[in-house]
Amino acid sequence: MARNIQSLERAAAMLRLLAGGERRLGLSDIASSLGLAKGTAHGILRTLQQEGFVEQDDASGRYQLGAELLRLGTTYLDIHELRARALVWTDDLARSSGESVYLGVLHQQGVLIVHHVFRPDDSRQVLEIGAMQPLHSTALGKVLSAYDPVAHSEALEADRKPFTDRTTCDLDAFEHILDITRARGYAADVEETWEGVASVAAPIHDRRRMPVGAVGITGAVERLCKDGEVRPDLIAAVRDCARAVSRDLGAGRF
């Protein structure tokens, strides 16, 4: 019988540890949990980091899972409960709104796109699964920052740089936007991230009523907006989609 490769076993154990424990772990924590010397653990982490499977926080030096695990393909995503529960509802939202639909989750200091439904027309589009969006300027990011305390902290620590002249970078102004988001149950982005592009998003909750992601639509300002504001019918459609996914995750009625 062929022997297992020890370094691969250790790397797999390391990924499982990062997936099942705290959001971020230090080198000493990882090494002691797996019974490895620090030098050995650091070597494996460095290799995983170079391949994109692990990321290191610049400020704390702690490690967490990397986005490359999602970019490997849709096999992993198909077993991701959030995406699986959202498939039908996001397809329906794309058809009813005529716009692209995005499903996002918190990842480090941004929004990781885990599902993307193309706009239902014949235009050329690029699949954006695995792409990252900022927390402070996108509808998805503002929703996560408003409802998820961890996302909120990440948004405050992140460099809230301006993408357009409409991007909100000031801390007090940003907090005010989050208050509004919580009060009305959705967030909008009208040319705050990309010129000529608007979006609207709503939160998704799980059976514990904890925020686990956000769903939204993105499209040209002239289609999504009327008199400078996102159309009420599109806001209602996005919120209905978020509620439907939340119900399928066991959250009950919101």
Side-chain angles (χ1 to χ4, degrees):
M1 180 181 295
R3 297 180 60 186
N4 293 341
I5 300 175
Q6 187 180 55
S7 59
L8 292 179
E9 289 181 330
R10 289 173 170 175
M14 202 167 285
L15 292 174
R16 292 191 187 99
L17 177 66
L18 290 171
E22 301 175 6
R23 287 194 65 247
R24 295 173 181 165
L25 292 173
L27 174 60
S28 296
D29 298 325
I30 295 171
S32 61
S33 295
L34 299 179
L36 299 174
K38 281 188 178 180
T40 301
H42 184 257
I44 297 171
L45 284 167
R46 187 172 63 246
T47 301
L48 291 172
Q49 186 178 0
Q50 289 171 349
E51 296 299 323
F53 298 135
V54 165
E55 295 175 357
Q56 186 178 27
D57 179 64
D58 292 334
S60 66
R62 290 175 173 265
Y63 295 88
Q64 65 181 30
L65 294 179
E68 188 61 26
L69 287 173
L70 285 178
R71 295 192 182 102
L72 284 174
T74 59
T75 302
Y76 169 78
L77 292 175
D78 285 338
I79 62 172
H80 189 289
E81 185 179 11
L82 173 60
R83 181 179 183 270
R85 298 289 185 178
L87 288 176
V88 173
W89 300 112
T90 51
D91 283 348
D92 287 348
L93 178 59
R95 282 193 294 269
S96 65
S97 68
E99 301 296 343
S100 299
V101 178
Y102 294 88
L103 185 68
V105 298
L106 175 66
H107 180 73
Q108 210 162 21
Q109 291 186 331
V111 182
L112 178 66
I113 303 302
V114 296
H115 185 51
H116 174 199
V117 183
F118 282 166
R119 184 172 62 254
D121 59 22
D122 296 328
S123 62
R124 184 174 181 178
Q125 300 174 64
V126 178
L127 188 66
E128 296 188 42
I129 293 176
M132 294 290 293
Q133 293 186 4
L135 285 170
H136 70 289
S137 64
T138 62
L140 291 171
K142 285 187 277 188
V143 163
L144 291 174
S145 300
Y147 287 89
D148 184 342
V150 177
H152 181 229
S153 298
E154 296 285 11
L156 299 188
E157 295 174 5
D159 178 18
R160 295 181 301 279
K161 65 180 182 179
F163 297 103
T164 73
D165 58 7
R166 301 188 62 164
T167 307
T168 300
C169 302
D170 177 75
L171 178 57
D172 290 338
F174 180 64
E175 290 281 25
H176 179 63
I177 288 173
L178 299 188
D179 288 340
I180 294 173
T181 298
R182 285 185 285 267
R184 64 188 185 182
Y186 71 91
D189 160 17
V190 180
E191 296 189 284
E192 295 176 46
T193 311
W194 302 281
E195 297 283 356
V197 177
S199 61
V200 59
I204 296 172
H205 298 80
D206 66 7
R207 60 183 60 86
R208 299 168 299 168
R209 293 185 173 250
M210 297 294 292
V212 293
V215 63
I217 59 173
T218 297
V221 170
E222 58 265 26
R223 294 196 305 269
L224 265 66
C225 297
K226 183 177 181 180
D227 299 326
E229 301 289 336
V230 177
R231 288 163 37 199
D233 60 311
L234 295 179
I235 293 171
V238 169
R239 296 191 68 191
D240 286 345
C241 177
R243 292 190 191 101
V245 178
S246 297
R247 285 196 300 270
D248 278 3
L249 287 170
R253 296 188 63 181
F254 271 84

